[in-house]
Amino acid sequence: MKRLSFLPPLLLVILVNILLSWVDFRIDLTEDKKHSISEETKQILTDLEDVVFIKIYLAGDFPTEFKHLQSELLNLLTSFKSIAGDNFDYEVIDPNNTNDESEKIDLFKQLVKDGLTPTDIEIRSTSSKSSQIIFPGALIYYKDRQQAVNFLKNSVTKQAGENINASIENLEYEFIAAIHHLAKNNIEKIAFLEGNGELTDKEVYDLTESVLQDNDKLNYHYAIERFNIKEFEIDSSKMEADISKQILDLSSFKALIIAKPTIAFNMLEKFIIDQYIMNGGKILWLIDGVNATMDSLQKANSFIALKNDLNLDDQLFKYGVRINPNLIEDLRSTQIPIVTGYSNNMPQQSYFPWPYYPLLFSEINHPISKGLDAIKCDFASSIDTIQNTIKKTILLTSSKQSRINPTPAKISLGILQNPPPIESFNKSQLPIAVLLEGEFESVFKNRILPKEQSIDFKDKSKPTQMIVVSDGDVARNSVSNNGDIYPLGYDRFINYTYPGNKKFVMNAIHYLCDDVGLTRLKSKEIKLRLLDKEKIASNMFLIQFINIVFPLLLLLIATLLFLNFKKRKYA
């Protein structure tokens, strides 16, 4: 009977394992909770009405970094399947796994047509190295719809390991955002306001339509319209402009974008915008605090920059912010070319940092601005927050070496020849974009209202949000004289596109329109634990000893102890 005493514990272990095989039981012990699935993701997956099927084109013989990305992706999709059950499935495909070159080329062309972006990687072995085209992306199918997801983040400012880490951080967001887009039945409407000299269709084309013709555009997620605040329907009974109808029409939009207006708003227009907010409307304000453009410098060596008076100061102040009539000068800025001499009658150019073009790198841990690459600004102003009941979150700031140039300000290229002393750049992280959230009080409270009895005036809003940015050019793409449209954030002087501009505006709109909290997934942060190469080099012998010799010593000691124990017991 003693020999069979081990059977009950063994049977218990087997039974527990059988029971646990039917249950998805996991404990995430990682510090950054990288294996935890968010509640928003669970909600979307459990609400699926049909099967989501995903074809992943990341298979094959990869370098270590891509194997890590592949492993994390498969872990994520396995978790998705455990949540969605029969309504979720996936397949991993190696597009290079064919000996027919013609067939492979046809497949590559089809994948590009479907929206996947190829990348070229280097495969190294002990005796050779070669290059291979891969597609780090997936095609998602739901009902009769299809969506491409390119999940490799490839920033030129980051190392390969950091790019892979950024890609892993965004995997859950990229896939669940695409699934949510395919599954939702209603598409929200948003509008660009016009009538006060705002940016034109062409100047926001890359934001709305995408110059690259990819899915990174607003009209992929929303129905985009332009709303002219100066055009009214006429009330036939009174033969007057129907203000109530104008407010009602504006309220049909989930969010409103007021992009770089140049003409002052009158009181009626301000009233309509105010009541849109009071009815729960959300606004992205892209407002220049100062009138200043590089075109003015091309016509003369200098110009005087003046306050951009749009008659919005009292309204924004009431909501909780003030855009100051000044210009931020920042040591961290983009460069412009200046002719420094001539050679054989040919002008010779050199590049100099232009302090009025601050370059922003967000350090704010917020879904809108977290992890953004560089954002290019043109003549930005500082923003002050006003104390009231509204919650305020600073989204973008200047660098730690900034200063303020109040208007009227003389703008001259002479600042490059005789730069101010570095000590004068003593302002740190001046706010350039602010998120406001809460119940806003109407700026027209206790004021005389328009003479129309049918207006349902509200003096306090529903809980809502707005974002105020003190540079309208953040959302403006360049348009050449012959009508060519460049990507948003494109710097023609260095032939480079700053990706942060488009991502910031897109994130801002997503946040304002998001009902299920998708943007919260942007907050997931996986710490990149890179090895310290200098420490490795200086402690090479100790590391080798610990990893090679020390385990052997432990094994030897354990063996000697076991032999000694055995000798004593059976001697």
Side-chain angles (χ1 to χ4, degrees):
M1 292 298 293
K2 290 183 178 180
R3 293 181 179 180
L4 298 178
S5 61
F6 70 93
L7 282 179
L10 179 62
L11 291 174
L12 180 62
V13 171
I14 294 173
L15 180 61
V16 170
N17 275 275
I18 292 173
L19 292 174
L20 289 178
S21 67
W22 294 91
V23 180
D24 183 23
F25 179 73
R26 304 179 185 184
I27 300 176
D28 189 352
L29 298 177
T30 58
E31 179 186 352
D32 37 32
K33 299 299 178 184
K34 67 179 181 179
H35 300 300
S36 298
I37 302 299
S38 70
E39 292 302 320
E40 290 79 17
T41 294
K42 292 177 182 177
Q43 177 187 335
I44 292 169
L45 292 175
T46 52
D47 289 345
L48 290 174
E49 299 173 354
D50 207 334
V51 177
V52 168
F53 184 74
I54 302 179
K55 289 183 178 180
I56 305 147
Y57 291 90
L58 189 66
D61 185 18
F62 300 136
T64 305
E65 296 88 351
F66 282 91
K67 287 181 180 178
H68 180 44
L69 175 61
Q70 181 192 51
S71 174
E72 292 294 334
L73 172 60
L74 295 179
N75 287 338
L76 177 70
L77 296 184
T78 300
S79 298
F80 282 5
K81 184 168 178 60
S82 68
I83 296 169
D86 293 337
N87 276 344
F88 189 92
D89 205 355
Y90 63 90
E91 176 185 8
V92 182
I93 300 170
D94 182 0
N96 289 285
N97 188 22
T98 177
N99 295 323
D100 189 334
E101 196 65 26
S102 176
E103 180 182 329
K104 182 175 14 177
I105 291 174
D106 289 341
L107 175 59
F108 284 5
K109 289 181 179 178
Q110 184 60 47
L111 293 179
V112 172
K113 185 178 179 181
D114 288 338
L116 295 185
T117 302
T119 189
D120 195 8
I121 63 171
E122 190 177 81
I123 307 295
R124 291 178 177 267
S125 64
T126 54
S127 58
S128 64
K129 64 179 181 179
S130 61
S131 62
Q132 178 178 296
I133 295 176
I134 66 169
F135 288 83
L139 295 176
I140 303 178
Y141 302 89
Y142 181 78
K143 294 183 178 179
D144 58 345
R145 305 169 191 171
Q146 175 182 319
Q147 169 65 39
V149 173
N150 294 291
F151 46 77
L152 177 63
K153 305 301 175 186
N154 201 5
S155 171
V156 296
T157 62
K158 297 178 179 178
Q159 298 178 359
E162 292 175 314
N163 280 322
I164 293 295
N165 189 70
S167 303
I168 293 171
E169 280 187 356
N170 283 278
L171 280 178
E172 183 180 349
Y173 173 80
E174 294 290 346
F175 276 90
I176 209 64
I179 293 171
H180 175 59
H181 173 73
L182 291 172
K184 66 182 180 182
N185 297 317
N186 298 318
I187 297 180
E188 302 285 359
K189 292 197 308 177
I190 65 174
F192 282 85
L193 197 71
E194 61 181 8
N196 291 79
E198 292 86 356
L199 297 178
T200 65
D201 283 340
K202 284 190 173 182
E203 290 175 314
V204 294
Y205 180 87
D206 188 43
L207 188 60
T208 57
E209 305 287 342
S210 181
V211 172
L212 301 178
Q213 298 302 309
D214 56 16
N215 292 332
D216 191 17
K217 54 189 176 183
L218 286 176
N219 75 354
Y220 174 75
H221 301 278
Y222 312 101
I224 311 292
E225 296 184 22
R226 295 188 73 88
F227 187 92
N228 194 318
I229 200 168
K230 294 185 182 296
E231 294 180 356
F232 292 82
E233 289 189 19
I234 300 299
D235 186 343
S236 58
S237 63
K238 303 177 183 178
M239 296 308 292
E240 295 177 351
D242 195 335
I243 300 174
S244 295
K245 184 66 166 56
Q246 189 80 328
I247 296 172
L248 182 63
D249 290 345
L250 195 59
S251 297
S252 67
F253 298 106
K254 184 74 172 182
L256 188 64
I257 304 172
I258 303 179
K260 196 179 169 67
T262 56
I263 300 172
F265 290 78
N266 61 40
M267 295 304 290
L268 179 56
E269 292 161 357
K270 291 171 62 175
F271 177 78
I272 292 170
I273 294 171
D274 177 83
Q275 288 303 291
Y276 168 74
I277 296 168
M278 296 306 112
N279 283 287
K282 304 177 181 184
I283 297 183
L284 173 59
W285 301 85
L286 301 166
I287 307 294
D288 288 342
V290 173
N291 284 317
T293 65
M294 285 300 289
D295 292 339
S296 302
L297 270 182
Q298 292 175 355
K299 298 174 184 177
N301 291 327
S302 65
F303 70 93
I304 302 299
L306 301 173
K307 172 181 166 61
N308 186 26
D309 191 359
L310 297 171
N311 194 27
L312 292 173
D313 291 354
D314 59 333
Q315 194 160 3
L316 293 176
F317 187 92
K318 188 72 171 182
Y319 300 152
V321 294
R322 175 175 54 234
I323 300 177
N324 295 309
N326 60 33
L327 289 174
I328 293 175
E329 297 178 16
D330 200 328
L331 288 183
R332 187 180 65 192
S333 58
T334 60
Q335 297 181 330
I336 61 173
I338 300 295
V339 175
T340 54
Y342 290 85
S343 177
N344 296 326
N345 293 325
M346 294 292 292
Q348 301 297 306
Q349 292 184 332
S350 297
Y351 286 86
F352 295 89
W354 182 237
Y356 296 106
Y357 281 6
L359 194 58
L360 312 182
F361 290 89
S362 175
E363 299 176 2
I364 312 300
N365 188 22
H366 188 277
I368 296 176
S369 53
K370 176 184 175 293
L372 290 181
D373 214 325
I375 299 173
K376 178 179 178 291
C377 290
D378 297 1
F379 297 105
S381 302
S382 66
I383 297 178
D384 288 340
T385 56
I386 310 303
Q387 189 170 1
N388 58 10
T389 59
I390 300 300
K391 178 185 176 183
K392 304 168 187 70
T393 305
I394 307 298
L395 299 176
L396 296 176
T397 66
S398 64
S399 77
K400 295 179 181 179
Q401 290 182 295
S402 311
R403 71 176 199 168
I404 288 174
N405 190 354
T407 57
K410 183 178 181 180
I411 309 300
S412 170
L413 294 176
I415 195 175
L416 302 179
Q417 298 173 340
N418 300 297
I422 293 180
E423 296 77 21
S424 66
F425 290 84
N426 53 10
K427 299 293 184 181
S428 178
Q429 297 180 321
L430 297 167
I432 293 176
V434 181
L435 167 67
L436 306 175
E437 299 176 283
E439 297 179 359
F440 296 88
E441 189 172 79
S442 171
V443 69
F444 288 89
K445 183 179 180 179
N446 301 323
R447 290 193 186 183
I448 298 175
L449 303 179
K451 295 180 180 179
E452 187 174 330
Q453 298 298 323
S454 60
I455 294 178
D456 181 19
F457 174 74
K458 292 181 173 60
D459 60 8
K460 191 171 186 178
S461 78
K462 304 173 182 177
T464 187
Q465 304 99 17
M466 65 176 72
I467 298 169
V468 181
V469 185
S470 61
D471 179 19
D473 293 299
V474 164
R476 181 179 67 87
N477 58 248
S478 298
V479 182
S480 68
N481 293 332
N482 60 5
D484 292 334
I485 299 175
Y486 297 96
L488 177 58
Y490 177 72
D491 189 332
R492 61 188 176 91
F493 298 131
I494 60 175
N495 193 30
Y496 176 73
T497 300
Y498 292 97
N501 289 63
K502 192 171 188 178
K503 277 296 180 186
F504 172 74
V505 179
M506 292 281 287
N507 287 352
I509 296 299
H510 288 331
Y511 187 86
L512 294 177
C513 295
D514 197 4
D515 289 329
V516 296
L518 271 180
T519 47
R520 292 192 189 95
L521 298 179
K522 289 275 188 180
S523 300
K524 178 175 281 192
E525 181 178 8
I526 301 173
K527 295 180 181 179
L528 188 61
R529 296 170 174 88
L530 299 176
L531 298 177
D532 189 329
K533 295 181 180 180
E534 293 183 3
K535 189 174 288 186
I536 291 174
S538 61
N539 297 280
M540 180 66 73
F541 176 77
L542 179 61
I543 293 172
Q544 290 175 338
F545 178 81
I546 293 174
N547 285 277
I548 298 174
V549 180
F550 189 64
L552 295 176
L553 288 175
L554 286 178
L555 181 61
L556 179 61
I557 293 170
T559 304
L560 293 174
L561 290 174
F562 174 74
L563 292 174
N564 185 53
F565 171 77
K566 185 176 180 182
K567 183 178 179 180
R568 288 184 177 182
K569 184 174 182 179
Y570 299 104

